[in-house]
Amino acid sequence: MKASVLLKSSLLTSLFVISSCATTKYSEDVSKNNYSNLEAGRMYVVTMKDGSPKQKMLFRNIDGDKLVGTAGKKDSAVVIIPKSNVAAVKDRSKARVVAGATVIGAAGVAALVISSLRAD
């Protein structure tokens, strides 16, 4: 009985870990990136190729070879990032949802394990 509960809990945990890797990424080869998955009005975290700090931006549009947005919802400072300097783009809102689901799932798995240990 203990082995099957442990097996089920480890399977659930691995599913949550795998699903937590779901972020929007773009490769370093600029010619392959069309950035069509970026949605205006969403927050993204942009990682730079040159090693400069990650840039948070509220994406607005694409202007030629540049990503254009603002520094935040309340901060109207314009942020312009050349596509050639982009190493990766991650969607912050999806990451939060996945992180919340992972925490909730881990709590559920822990509750299953604890209840099965008490039942014996």
Side-chain angles (χ1 to χ4, degrees):
M1 178 69 181
K2 286 183 184 180
S4 67
V5 171
L6 224 53
L7 182 65
K8 288 177 186 177
S9 63
S10 62
L11 178 64
L12 284 173
T13 305
S14 63
L15 286 174
F16 287 118
V17 168
I18 290 170
S19 69
S20 68
C21 300
T23 56
T24 304
K25 280 189 152 188
Y26 296 91
S27 69
E28 293 185 19
D29 185 4
V30 178
S31 63
K32 293 182 181 177
N33 299 333
N34 62 5
Y35 298 95
S36 63
N37 292 336
L38 298 179
E39 297 176 26
R42 294 193 89 160
M43 287 295 290
Y44 293 97
V45 177
V46 181
T47 305
M48 308 296 186
K49 284 184 188 177
D50 62 5
S52 59
K54 293 180 181 180
Q55 181 79 37
K56 293 182 208 173
M57 73 181 294
L58 181 65
F59 180 72
R60 293 291 178 211
N61 62 359
I62 297 173
D63 183 23
D65 63 344
K66 297 177 266 190
L67 302 176
V68 179
T70 56
K73 292 183 179 181
K74 294 182 180 177
D75 187 0
S76 61
V78 177
V79 176
I80 299 173
I81 301 172
K83 288 182 187 177
S84 60
N85 194 24
V86 174
V89 179
K90 296 182 181 180
D91 188 346
R92 286 190 58 197
S93 61
K94 287 181 183 176
R96 285 183 189 160
V97 169
V98 170
T102 303
V103 169
I104 291 169
V109 169
L112 278 172
V113 170
I114 291 171
S115 67
S116 69
L117 292 175
R118 289 185 181 173
D120 288 339

